[in-house]
mmCIF file of all heavy atoms in Angstrom:
data_model
loop_
_atom_site.group_PDB
_atom_site.id
_atom_site.type_symbol
_atom_site.label_atom_id
_atom_site.label_comp_id
_atom_site.label_asym_id
_atom_site.label_seq_id
_atom_site.Cartn_x
_atom_site.Cartn_y
_atom_site.Cartn_z
ATOM 1 N N THR A 259 21.704 -3.255 -88.669
ATOM 2 C CA THR A 259 21.444 -2.972 -90.004
ATOM 3 C C THR A 259 21.233 -4.289 -90.850
ATOM 4 O O THR A 259 20.684 -4.226 -92.161
ATOM 5 C CB THR A 259 22.533 -2.207 -90.705
ATOM 6 O OG1 THR A 259 23.787 -2.891 -90.548
ATOM 7 C CG2 THR A 259 22.718 -0.824 -90.032
ATOM 8 N N CYS A 260 21.673 -5.398 -90.382
ATOM 9 C CA CYS A 260 21.519 -6.787 -90.963
ATOM 10 C C CYS A 260 22.339 -6.791 -92.300
ATOM 11 O O CYS A 260 21.885 -7.641 -93.220
ATOM 12 C CB CYS A 260 20.030 -7.071 -91.289
ATOM 13 S SG CYS A 260 19.070 -6.994 -89.713
ATOM 14 N N VAL A 261 23.265 -6.096 -92.463
ATOM 15 C CA VAL A 261 24.187 -6.211 -93.623
ATOM 16 C C VAL A 261 25.137 -7.347 -93.559
ATOM 17 O O VAL A 261 25.275 -7.882 -92.427
ATOM 18 C CB VAL A 261 24.959 -4.933 -93.880
ATOM 19 C CG1 VAL A 261 23.999 -3.738 -94.101
ATOM 20 C CG2 VAL A 261 25.893 -4.566 -92.737
ATOM 21 N N ARG A 262 25.806 -7.668 -94.662
ATOM 22 C CA ARG A 262 26.733 -8.809 -94.557
ATOM 23 C C ARG A 262 28.010 -8.294 -93.958
ATOM 24 O O ARG A 262 28.294 -7.043 -93.786
ATOM 25 C CB ARG A 262 26.923 -9.291 -95.894
ATOM 26 C CG ARG A 262 25.687 -9.990 -96.525
ATOM 27 C CD ARG A 262 26.044 -10.585 -97.932
ATOM 28 N NE ARG A 262 24.879 -11.249 -98.512
ATOM 29 C CZ ARG A 262 23.944 -10.771 -99.137
ATOM 30 N NH1 ARG A 262 23.935 -9.430 -99.386
ATOM 31 N NH2 ARG A 262 22.935 -11.529 -99.550
ATOM 32 N N GLU A 265 30.158 -5.915 -96.074
ATOM 33 C CA GLU A 265 29.499 -4.642 -96.327
ATOM 34 C C GLU A 265 29.782 -3.770 -95.064
ATOM 35 O O GLU A 265 29.902 -2.541 -95.143
ATOM 36 C CB GLU A 265 28.114 -4.845 -96.503
ATOM 37 C CG GLU A 265 27.785 -5.556 -97.808
ATOM 38 C CD GLU A 265 26.416 -6.302 -97.822
ATOM 39 O OE1 GLU A 265 25.667 -6.112 -97.010
ATOM 40 O OE2 GLU A 265 26.207 -7.040 -98.848
ATOM 41 N N GLU A 273 29.555 7.053 -97.402
ATOM 42 C CA GLU A 273 28.450 6.280 -97.787
ATOM 43 C C GLU A 273 27.211 6.609 -96.938
ATOM 44 O O GLU A 273 26.047 6.298 -97.164
ATOM 45 C CB GLU A 273 28.782 4.780 -97.618
ATOM 46 C CG GLU A 273 29.669 4.328 -98.590
ATOM 47 C CD GLU A 273 30.184 3.023 -98.319
ATOM 48 O OE1 GLU A 273 29.666 2.351 -97.427
ATOM 49 O OE2 GLU A 273 31.067 2.477 -99.151
ATOM 50 N N VAL A 280 20.406 7.526 -93.940
ATOM 51 C CA VAL A 280 20.420 6.402 -94.888
ATOM 52 C C VAL A 280 21.969 6.047 -95.130
ATOM 53 O O VAL A 280 22.868 6.947 -95.204
ATOM 54 C CB VAL A 280 19.919 6.819 -96.266
ATOM 55 C CG1 VAL A 280 20.069 5.773 -97.376
ATOM 56 C CG2 VAL A 280 18.344 7.222 -96.066
ATOM 57 N N TRP A 281 22.236 4.725 -95.313
ATOM 58 C CA TRP A 281 23.606 4.130 -95.623
ATOM 59 C C TRP A 281 23.322 3.641 -97.022
ATOM 60 O O TRP A 281 22.627 2.716 -97.169
ATOM 61 C CB TRP A 281 24.013 3.210 -94.587
ATOM 62 C CG TRP A 281 25.373 2.519 -94.920
ATOM 63 C CD1 TRP A 281 26.293 2.746 -95.850
ATOM 64 C CD2 TRP A 281 25.696 1.256 -94.376
ATOM 65 N NE1 TRP A 281 27.265 1.893 -95.858
ATOM 66 C CE2 TRP A 281 26.984 0.934 -94.858
ATOM 67 C CE3 TRP A 281 25.284 0.547 -93.117
ATOM 68 C CZ2 TRP A 281 27.710 -0.200 -94.548
ATOM 69 C CZ3 TRP A 281 26.044 -0.585 -92.865
ATOM 70 C CH2 TRP A 281 27.228 -0.899 -93.417
ATOM 71 N N THR A 282 24.160 4.160 -98.062
ATOM 72 C CA THR A 282 24.078 3.665 -99.258
ATOM 73 C C THR A 282 25.367 2.748 -99.616
ATOM 74 O O THR A 282 26.499 3.349 -99.732
ATOM 75 C CB THR A 282 24.027 4.701 -100.381
ATOM 76 O OG1 THR A 282 22.862 5.607 -100.061
ATOM 77 C CG2 THR A 282 23.920 4.149 -101.863
ATOM 78 N N VAL A 283 25.095 1.479 -99.769
ATOM 79 C CA VAL A 283 26.285 0.544 -100.105
ATOM 80 C C VAL A 283 26.382 0.461 -101.591
ATOM 81 O O VAL A 283 25.379 0.040 -102.153
ATOM 82 C CB VAL A 283 26.001 -0.795 -99.358
ATOM 83 C CG1 VAL A 283 27.233 -1.748 -99.628
ATOM 84 C CG2 VAL A 283 25.633 -0.738 -97.902
ATOM 85 N N PRO A 284 27.508 0.705 -102.188
ATOM 86 C CA PRO A 284 27.591 0.701 -103.580
ATOM 87 C C PRO A 284 27.456 -0.802 -104.216
ATOM 88 O O PRO A 284 27.702 -1.725 -103.464
ATOM 89 C CB PRO A 284 29.042 1.313 -103.922
ATOM 90 C CG PRO A 284 29.715 1.106 -102.618
ATOM 91 C CD PRO A 284 28.636 1.196 -101.513
ATOM 92 N N ALA A 285 27.053 -0.714 -105.371
ATOM 93 C CA ALA A 285 26.763 -2.096 -106.095
ATOM 94 C C ALA A 285 28.113 -2.983 -106.019
ATOM 95 O O ALA A 285 27.850 -4.233 -105.963
ATOM 96 C CB ALA A 285 26.327 -1.847 -107.549
ATOM 97 N N MET A 288 28.224 -5.310 -103.136
ATOM 98 C CA MET A 288 27.036 -6.110 -102.859
ATOM 99 C C MET A 288 27.109 -7.466 -103.615
ATOM 100 O O MET A 288 27.594 -7.467 -104.708
ATOM 101 C CB MET A 288 25.657 -5.419 -103.315
ATOM 102 C CG MET A 288 25.482 -4.064 -102.502
ATOM 103 S SD MET A 288 25.171 -4.372 -100.696
ATOM 104 C CE MET A 288 23.796 -5.526 -100.708
ATOM 105 N N GLU A 291 25.314 -7.370 -106.643
ATOM 106 C CA GLU A 291 25.876 -6.393 -107.544
ATOM 107 C C GLU A 291 24.718 -5.345 -107.919
ATOM 108 O O GLU A 291 24.603 -4.798 -108.968
ATOM 109 C CB GLU A 291 26.273 -6.998 -108.790
ATOM 110 C CG GLU A 291 27.463 -7.901 -108.645
ATOM 111 C CD GLU A 291 28.051 -8.451 -109.945
ATOM 112 O OE1 GLU A 291 27.408 -8.256 -111.013
ATOM 113 O OE2 GLU A 291 29.101 -9.210 -109.889
ATOM 114 N N LYS A 292 23.975 -4.932 -106.765
ATOM 115 C CA LYS A 292 23.004 -3.904 -106.953
ATOM 116 C C LYS A 292 23.007 -3.013 -105.732
ATOM 117 O O LYS A 292 23.177 -3.514 -104.586
ATOM 118 C CB LYS A 292 21.563 -4.541 -107.025
ATOM 119 C CG LYS A 292 20.421 -3.532 -107.184
ATOM 120 C CD LYS A 292 19.041 -4.360 -107.288
ATOM 121 C CE LYS A 292 18.076 -3.391 -107.385
ATOM 122 N NZ LYS A 292 16.672 -3.960 -107.430
ATOM 123 N N GLU A 293 23.088 -1.631 -105.905
ATOM 124 C CA GLU A 293 23.207 -0.721 -104.938
ATOM 125 C C GLU A 293 22.134 -1.022 -103.839
ATOM 126 O O GLU A 293 20.965 -1.301 -104.193
ATOM 127 C CB GLU A 293 23.127 0.697 -105.331
ATOM 128 C CG GLU A 293 23.222 1.721 -104.379
ATOM 129 C CD GLU A 293 22.969 3.048 -104.869
ATOM 130 O OE1 GLU A 293 23.940 3.772 -105.363
ATOM 131 O OE2 GLU A 293 21.778 3.641 -104.926
ATOM 132 N N LEU A 294 22.465 -0.831 -102.501
ATOM 133 C CA LEU A 294 21.429 -1.023 -101.463
ATOM 134 C C LEU A 294 21.441 0.200 -100.642
ATOM 135 O O LEU A 294 22.458 0.592 -100.140
ATOM 136 C CB LEU A 294 21.923 -2.297 -100.647
ATOM 137 C CG LEU A 294 21.071 -2.532 -99.310
ATOM 138 C CD1 LEU A 294 19.589 -2.974 -99.621
ATOM 139 C CD2 LEU A 294 21.692 -3.573 -98.401
ATOM 140 N N ARG A 295 20.356 0.608 -100.346
ATOM 141 C CA ARG A 295 20.020 1.741 -99.335
ATOM 142 C C ARG A 295 19.655 1.108 -98.040
ATOM 143 O O ARG A 295 18.549 0.431 -98.007
ATOM 144 C CB ARG A 295 18.925 2.736 -99.903
ATOM 145 C CG ARG A 295 19.503 3.556 -101.071
ATOM 146 C CD ARG A 295 18.630 4.790 -101.361
ATOM 147 N NE ARG A 295 17.222 4.414 -101.583
ATOM 148 C CZ ARG A 295 16.157 5.407 -101.444
ATOM 149 N NH1 ARG A 295 16.446 6.581 -101.165
ATOM 150 N NH2 ARG A 295 14.957 4.854 -101.699
ATOM 151 N N VAL A 296 20.400 1.386 -97.113
ATOM 152 C CA VAL A 296 20.015 0.884 -95.658
ATOM 153 C C VAL A 296 19.488 1.914 -94.810
ATOM 154 O O VAL A 296 20.268 2.847 -94.415
ATOM 155 C CB VAL A 296 21.330 0.245 -95.101
ATOM 156 C CG1 VAL A 296 21.010 -0.448 -93.701
ATOM 157 C CG2 VAL A 296 21.949 -0.769 -96.112
ATOM 158 N N PRO A 297 18.226 1.749 -94.342
ATOM 159 C CA PRO A 297 17.746 2.773 -93.374
ATOM 160 C C PRO A 297 18.458 2.565 -91.993
ATOM 161 O O PRO A 297 18.649 1.544 -91.545
ATOM 162 C CB PRO A 297 16.245 2.435 -93.288
ATOM 163 C CG PRO A 297 16.223 0.979 -93.610
ATOM 164 C CD PRO A 297 17.287 0.737 -94.656
ATOM 165 N N ARG A 351 22.167 -12.377 -89.286
ATOM 166 C CA ARG A 351 21.048 -12.092 -90.217
ATOM 167 C C ARG A 351 19.859 -13.077 -90.130
ATOM 168 O O ARG A 351 18.700 -12.762 -90.269
ATOM 169 C CB ARG A 351 21.654 -12.173 -91.682
ATOM 170 C CG ARG A 351 22.615 -10.973 -91.936
ATOM 171 C CD ARG A 351 23.505 -11.259 -93.152
ATOM 172 N NE ARG A 351 22.870 -11.557 -94.316
ATOM 173 C CZ ARG A 351 22.354 -10.702 -95.190
ATOM 174 N NH1 ARG A 351 22.415 -9.466 -94.986
ATOM 175 N NH2 ARG A 351 21.780 -11.169 -96.342
ATOM 176 N N GLU A 370 13.198 -9.944 -96.644
ATOM 177 C CA GLU A 370 14.204 -10.419 -97.558
ATOM 178 C C GLU A 370 14.866 -9.203 -98.237
ATOM 179 O O GLU A 370 16.086 -9.172 -98.578
ATOM 180 C CB GLU A 370 13.387 -11.206 -98.787
ATOM 181 C CG GLU A 370 12.917 -12.533 -98.246
ATOM 182 C CD GLU A 370 14.072 -13.421 -97.717
ATOM 183 O OE1 GLU A 370 14.840 -13.879 -98.615
ATOM 184 O OE2 GLU A 370 14.123 -13.664 -96.418
ATOM 185 N N MET A 371 14.115 -8.060 -98.538
ATOM 186 C CA MET A 371 14.725 -6.911 -99.069
ATOM 187 C C MET A 371 15.736 -6.287 -98.072
ATOM 188 O O MET A 371 16.725 -5.711 -98.462
ATOM 189 C CB MET A 371 13.762 -5.880 -99.362
ATOM 190 C CG MET A 371 12.695 -6.301 -100.522
ATOM 191 S SD MET A 371 11.462 -5.012 -100.955
ATOM 192 C CE MET A 371 12.660 -3.846 -101.889
ATOM 193 N N ALA A 372 15.315 -6.305 -96.701
ATOM 194 C CA ALA A 372 16.372 -5.708 -95.801
ATOM 195 C C ALA A 372 17.588 -6.575 -95.753
ATOM 196 O O ALA A 372 18.714 -6.009 -95.449
ATOM 197 C CB ALA A 372 15.597 -5.813 -94.391
ATOM 198 N N LEU A 373 17.490 -7.834 -96.138
ATOM 199 C CA LEU A 373 18.696 -8.754 -96.171
ATOM 200 C C LEU A 373 19.370 -8.732 -97.380
ATOM 201 O O LEU A 373 20.385 -9.468 -97.639
ATOM 202 C CB LEU A 373 18.362 -10.106 -95.732
ATOM 203 C CG LEU A 373 17.779 -10.354 -94.269
ATOM 204 C CD1 LEU A 373 17.169 -11.781 -94.124
ATOM 205 C CD2 LEU A 373 18.912 -10.091 -93.269
ATOM 206 N N ALA A 374 18.849 -7.916 -98.394
ATOM 207 C CA ALA A 374 19.360 -7.905 -99.706
ATOM 208 C C ALA A 374 19.409 -9.215 -100.471
ATOM 209 O O ALA A 374 20.394 -9.525 -101.236
ATOM 210 C CB ALA A 374 20.750 -7.174 -99.760
ATOM 211 N N HIS A 375 18.397 -10.083 -100.189
ATOM 212 C CA HIS A 375 18.186 -11.259 -100.944
ATOM 213 C C HIS A 375 17.477 -11.075 -102.199
ATOM 214 O O HIS A 375 16.788 -10.076 -102.392
ATOM 215 C CB HIS A 375 17.445 -12.251 -100.094
ATOM 216 C CG HIS A 375 18.250 -12.837 -98.990
ATOM 217 N ND1 HIS A 375 17.711 -13.513 -97.837
ATOM 218 C CD2 HIS A 375 19.589 -13.107 -98.729
ATOM 219 C CE1 HIS A 375 18.643 -14.015 -96.969
ATOM 220 N NE2 HIS A 375 19.817 -13.663 -97.643
ATOM 221 N N ASP A 389 12.423 0.571 -103.552
ATOM 222 C CA ASP A 389 13.086 -0.389 -102.556
ATOM 223 C C ASP A 389 12.407 -0.324 -101.207
ATOM 224 O O ASP A 389 12.896 -0.904 -100.279
ATOM 225 C CB ASP A 389 14.517 -0.145 -102.396
ATOM 226 C CG ASP A 389 14.783 1.290 -101.885
ATOM 227 O OD1 ASP A 389 13.986 2.079 -101.674
ATOM 228 O OD2 ASP A 389 16.010 1.792 -101.808
ATOM 229 N N LEU A 391 11.986 1.859 -98.971
ATOM 230 C CA LEU A 391 12.881 2.351 -97.989
ATOM 231 C C LEU A 391 12.217 2.755 -96.658
ATOM 232 O O LEU A 391 12.645 2.299 -95.571
ATOM 233 C CB LEU A 391 13.732 3.491 -98.416
ATOM 234 C CG LEU A 391 14.601 4.107 -97.338
ATOM 235 C CD1 LEU A 391 15.813 3.210 -97.090
ATOM 236 C CD2 LEU A 391 15.281 5.398 -97.924
ATOM 237 N N ARG A 394 10.813 -0.335 -94.858
ATOM 238 C CA ARG A 394 12.032 -0.923 -94.137
ATOM 239 C C ARG A 394 12.481 -0.128 -92.957
ATOM 240 O O ARG A 394 12.835 -0.822 -91.938
ATOM 241 C CB ARG A 394 13.185 -1.279 -95.139
ATOM 242 C CG ARG A 394 12.893 -2.246 -96.205
ATOM 243 C CD ARG A 394 13.955 -2.692 -96.950
ATOM 244 N NE ARG A 394 14.382 -1.760 -97.908
ATOM 245 C CZ ARG A 394 15.558 -1.098 -97.997
ATOM 246 N NH1 ARG A 394 16.540 -1.426 -97.083
ATOM 247 N NH2 ARG A 394 15.843 -0.151 -98.847
#
Side-chain angles (χ1 to χ4, degrees):
T259 56
C260 302
V261 297
R262 295 180 176 87
E265 293 156 10
E273 295 170 359
V280 175
W281 173 15
T282 304
V283 184
M288 295 298 301
E291 298 183 353
K292 182 179 179 181
E293 178 185 276
L294 174 68
R295 291 196 302 167
V296 180
R351 288 162 58 85
E370 293 298 290
M371 294 184 74
L373 295 170
H375 282 161
D389 58 4
L391 178 67
R394 285 189 290 123

